[in-house]
Amino acid sequence: MSNENNRKTWKQTWSYREGTIVTAAILLLGFALQAAGGGMVLRVAAFPWNLVAGLVFLAFLIIAFILWQKNPIIKWLGGVKAALPAILGFTFLVLLMGFVKQDVEPKSTLVKLLGLTHLVKTWPFILINLYLMILLGIVTLRRLTPFSLKNAGFFLNHFGLFLVLFSTALGSSDMQRLRMNCYEDQTEWRAVDTSGKTVELPVAIKLLNFNIDEFRPKVTIIDNQSGQIVLNKGKNQFELLDRNSLDLFGYHVEVEQFLESSGKVGDAYFPVNEPGSAPSAKVKVTKDGIEISGWVCSGSYVNQPEALKLNEAHSLVMLPAEPRKFSSELDIQTKSGKQVTKTIEVNRPFKIDGWTIYQLSYNTEMGRWSNLSVLELVRDPWLPVVYFGIFLMMAGAAFLFITGKPKNGGTEHVA
Amino acid sequence: MEGLNMWLDFPIYASVAILCWLAASGLFLSSGKKLMNQMAAGFSFAGTAVLLVFIAILWMHIQRPPMRTLGETRLWYAIFLSGIGLVSYLRWKYKWIVSYSLGLAMVFLIINLQHPETYDKTLMPALQSPWFIPHVIVYIFAYAMLGASSLVALRNLFFAPTEKIVKGPIQMADNLVYLGFSFLTFGLLFGALWAKDAWGHYWTWDPKETWAFITWMFYLVYIHYRFRHPSEHKRAMTILAVSFAILLICWFGVNYLPSAQNSVHVYSE
């Protein structure tokens, strides 16, 4: 250690000191460039330039390694003493993202100049990513030559992460995320991108049917004065109407009749199935021997909700039902001549001609009577590379799990 | 079970578990006799089993995986942590690891007792996915492993004055970190694959994702540091202790951060 302390900076062999200086310089340069550019949002060039840049980078990395693999700087770049400060530098940026809310309007000029509200699209982030990729690339190449099965876990972890960083950075500008509003029985082929621009697609979609499957509504007790839900510490604030008798805040509620879809005629509710009809229930509520009975209804965009006044203090109300599942039956036609009818729902997207169609939302005010289904269309041509990287990392994690820590520190290169 | 609020029974199950674990810790600390140790291990296991029964009944009652609220994740954590403590003891024969991890598991149970949970049977459509259970279980298991490793770190930092006492346990800490880190990686990547199916993108820098990534990076630092400096124990243990603090921010703290107001991961409590 004393040798290290007496060594002059930049004199070989390099250590953490140089690692820290290089990482700090990269961050400072990044923030300086960002400020010089007025805090603008950066984008990587789109296809084919990102692919060209990626291939040039790979070629440069491999050639540099082959030519100078004995060079102490290349050796240092492939070691922990460069890697640790770089990881910490990257972590520093991500920590900033953890504290400063992202993708909002910057509150001060400094925040705007440094790009703190959109850090992933700034110079410091891109530069430190590039630096990490160089380190990961070199260390991967170092462990590959000579090839040894003992290094499999190491290779999977480091090359997997390299591929994920590489493909997400280069692919970010080729990715399209569009939002499409589909109304029932209408064909739509236009969608809006994240910046609000309308895009015409090679896919036309007709919404045949939008369907919501709802949970039973919940009931709760509100305070008549404030209109707020009565706090019921440690006990349920509300109960799902999935059974005929329940207890809530000392009240015993018996459900005499439950109508999934109903309308009010006179003083009572009857089964009705037309737009805007809402769930309702006839209940009998008892507390301290006093019995009250009547209807509660959650209401809808057409009908008023109905509460049941229990006494001077409290009323029983029914909350709007929550969706269990919502789905859209779509008729999809592509420019390439394909035509399919397919039902999509949340967590069950559908892929066609490089586009993935997601169920995103609907008109929540109209609830299950919504005639609007909001879809998201995503195209991400780099996804197979990202997934390949993710699977390598998973295999690497499995290696860590099976082999555990390499014995004797760095002498056995297992992971 | 009609009309029965499952969480109302929780204090009973939790008390039985805590009593079992206190007995286990007491027996482990009291003597070195083999029979006593076996009884202690039995009590430790019994406490965990009681909680497993509770979570099984809760699961059946609410008709969805009990993995949505913070209280539910704390319950899983107490189960895994006590299990990991016991397995570590059986594997490495350090009795204190059982007492330490039981102690931490009890803290989580007591937090749950102080913040009584209610149940909510509804589950938003985005969470209804085959990824839900593996994502949460793998994560909580990783958290429990890493929690146990940080207990080793704290012991080494504050209660083990000589390097000799540190050396054996530090290998156990390494093993726990390697296992925990592999699960952490799986949890992170499962989350990415799930997000692609549910939201159209595998990584959106949602605040929880950001903090999960920071946590992952800190353990990465520990692994690389240990790899390069196998004999610098004190500093390694400090890194490990700090990493766990970051993990706790990711798990609970994110809910309170202003940067996380619209996170999809801010669980209702």
Side-chain angles (χ1 to χ4, degrees), chain B residues 45-250:
Chain B
F45 176 75
T48 312
V50 166
L51 289 182
L52 270 173
V53 169
F54 173 76
I55 215 160
I57 297 173
L58 180 68
W59 193 328
M60 282 187 275
H61 183 64
I62 59 178
Q63 296 157 23
R64 61 164 176 82
M67 300 170 189
R68 207 190 83 177
T69 66
L70 281 178
E72 287 161 3
T73 59
R74 279 193 292 259
L75 190 58
W76 284 103
Y77 190 77
I79 291 173
F80 283 141
L81 194 64
S82 55
I84 288 164
L86 187 60
V87 171
S88 299
Y89 161 70
L90 296 173
R91 167 78 178 69
W92 289 288
K93 299 293 170 207
Y94 295 115
K95 284 192 279 182
W96 52 267
I97 183 74
V98 190
S99 314
Y100 280 34
S101 44
L102 290 184
L104 189 57
M106 280 189 267
V107 168
F108 279 82
L109 282 189
I110 289 165
I111 296 174
N112 264 12
L113 284 171
Q114 303 236 297
H115 300 271
E117 279 267 321
T118 55
Y119 67 79
D120 184 352
K121 287 180 180 173
T122 59
L123 193 60
M124 58 192 280
L127 290 183
Q128 295 169 27
S129 159
W131 289 110
F132 183 34
I133 297 172
H135 175 65
V136 178
I137 290 289
V138 162
Y139 248 117
I140 299 297
F141 191 68
Y143 284 3
M145 286 274 186
L146 298 172
S149 77
S150 62
L151 290 174
V152 180
L154 290 177
R155 178 196 153 87
N156 286 352
L157 278 177
F158 298 111
F159 304 113
T162 66
E163 282 283 300
K164 206 176 152 214
I165 303 179
V166 170
K167 217 168 177 186
I170 205 172
Q171 279 169 4
M172 176 166 65
D174 281 343
N175 282 300
L176 289 168
V177 169
Y178 268 69
L179 290 181
F181 186 76
S182 75
F183 275 87
L184 203 63
T185 309
F186 272 116
L188 196 76
L189 298 177
F190 282 177
L193 296 177
W194 179 9
K196 183 71 199 171
D197 265 359
W199 289 290
H201 198 20
Y202 45 84
W203 196 268
T204 48
W205 294 105
D206 171 270
K208 193 83 170 187
E209 285 173 0
T210 303
W211 279 95
F213 187 71
I214 296 168
T215 311
W216 191 78
M217 294 293 262
F218 267 85
Y219 283 99
L220 208 59
V221 168
Y222 172 80
I223 287 175
H224 283 88
Y225 188 80
R226 282 286 298 146
F227 182 75
R228 196 70 180 74
H229 307 276
S231 52
E232 300 238 357
H233 294 153
K234 269 250 146 77
R235 205 168 288 165
M237 292 299 103
T238 311
I239 298 173
L240 198 48
V242 172
S243 302
F244 192 63
I246 298 285
L247 187 155
L248 288 178
I249 296 180
C250 174

Side-chain angles (χ1 to χ4, degrees), chain A residues 3 6 25 31 92 99 107 121 137 143 160 184 288 310 387:
Chain A
N3 280 344
N6 295 332
F31 278 118
F92 167 72
F99 285 109
K107 283 208 182 85
K121 290 168 195 145
R143 282 295 176 90
E184 251 163 9
D288 306 329
L310 302 173
Y387 272 17

